[in-house]
Amino acid sequence: MDIWSATIILFLIMDPLGNLPVFISILKTVSPERRKIILIRELCIALVFMLLFLFAGQSVLSFMGLEESAVGIAGSVVLMIIAVRMIFPVARNPASSDDPVADEEPFIVPLAIPLIAGPSLMATAMLLSKKNPDNYLEITIAMIIAWFANSVILMCSGSLMHILGKRGLVALERLMGMVLVMLAIQMLLDGIKQYISVLHF
């Protein structure tokens, strides 16, 4: 997998457009100056977790004895589930009124984890590291590019919400979901092809 393919996959999984309303809701009581500081801090924390799972992923999956074809097929299934949720979104409200820390300044949860570096992204990072053991540099660069693009969108959240509106964000998120569906199908076909190639008849 090349840098740009990995970048697109990671960026789509981060789903910054889908997360915009949630970020704005969580940080609505924070002053604009403090909001930028919080966002930068949470984005940096998320990047650390993403890189940790990327570099530890191959060891974890190797310890579990998973073959590359299984990793590829599993990755395609994960991406497909994410894509379907993007096309048919459900309400996301990590800071519900019943949460005792909902009115406090967020730290790690829920912004860094799970909104930026969620379980799906961490699982994908592990799968990419297992599937591309000789391309750590390329995957790392792809992850940083995707993270940076995600960061720019979130830092401009107020302006984007004003320009695109709620319907515009929904439309773009569903378009991103369709692209992710195609990438997931390609990964599935590659995994099946790889599995068939190693079968002994």
Side-chain angles (χ1 to χ4, degrees), residues 43-102:
L43 286 164
C44 291
I45 292 173
L47 180 61
V48 170
F49 276 95
M50 288 158 55
L51 293 174
L52 176 64
F53 273 78
L54 175 64
F55 286 100
Q58 184 178 357
S59 300
V60 173
L61 295 175
S62 297
F63 176 76
M64 296 171 66
L66 295 175
E67 297 181 0
E68 189 172 336
S69 57
V71 171
I73 294 173
S76 68
V77 172
V78 171
L79 293 184
M80 184 65 71
I81 293 172
I82 297 168
V84 169
R85 292 183 63 184
M86 290 172 68
I87 298 172
F88 305 102
V90 294
R92 285 175 284 188
N93 184 21
S96 67
S97 57
D98 295 331
D99 188 349
V101 297

Side-chain angles (χ1 to χ4, degrees):
M1 180 176 292
D2 59 37
I3 290 177
W4 295 114
S5 296
T7 300
I8 292 171
I9 289 175
L10 293 169
F11 176 77
L12 292 176
I13 292 174
M14 289 181 193
D15 191 17
L17 294 176
N19 285 332
L20 275 183
V22 183
F23 270 71
I24 291 174
S25 176
I26 292 174
L27 298 175
K28 64 183 177 182
T29 59
V30 181
S31 66
E33 295 79 12
R34 184 60 185 168
R35 189 180 305 157
K36 291 182 179 179
I37 295 174
I38 294 172
L39 273 175
I40 292 172
R41 182 191 68 202
E42 299 301 303
L43 286 164
C44 291
I45 292 173
L47 180 61
V48 170
F49 276 95
M50 288 158 55
L51 293 174
L52 176 64
F53 273 78
L54 175 64
F55 286 100
Q58 184 178 357
S59 300
V60 173
L61 295 175
S62 297
F63 176 76
M64 296 171 66
L66 295 175
E67 297 181 0
E68 189 172 336
S69 57
V71 171
I73 294 173
S76 68
V77 172
V78 171
L79 293 184
M80 184 65 71
I81 293 172
I82 297 168
V84 169
R85 292 183 63 184
M86 290 172 68
I87 298 172
F88 305 102
V90 294
R92 285 175 284 188
N93 184 21
S96 67
S97 57
D98 295 331
D99 188 349
V101 297
D103 296 327
E104 297 180 8
E105 181 179 296
F107 179 65
I108 300 181
V109 178
L111 298 185
I113 301 172
L115 287 180
I116 302 172
S120 300
L121 182 66
M122 293 180 179
T124 303
M126 294 173 65
L127 293 170
L128 287 175
S129 68
K130 174 66 177 178
K131 193 172 177 61
N132 305 274
D134 300 323
N135 296 324
Y136 267 108
L137 179 60
E138 288 83 356
I139 300 301
T140 302
I141 293 173
M143 179 169 283
I144 293 174
I145 294 173
W147 170 84
F148 180 76
N150 180 77
S151 301
V152 170
I153 290 175
L154 292 178
M155 292 296 290
C156 301
S157 56
S159 300
L160 286 173
M161 282 288 290
H162 179 72
I163 294 171
L164 297 175
K166 186 175 180 180
R167 290 187 178 182
L169 288 175
V170 170
L172 282 176
E173 184 180 18
R174 290 181 178 176
L175 179 60
M176 291 166 61
M178 288 299 299
V179 174
L180 197 57
V181 166
M182 292 183 284
L183 291 171
I185 292 174
Q186 185 61 55
M187 283 186 65
L188 177 62
L189 294 175
D190 290 343
I192 294 173
K193 187 187 302 181
Q194 188 173 35
Y195 177 71
I196 292 175
S197 66
V198 299
L199 288 177
H200 300 286
F201 294 99

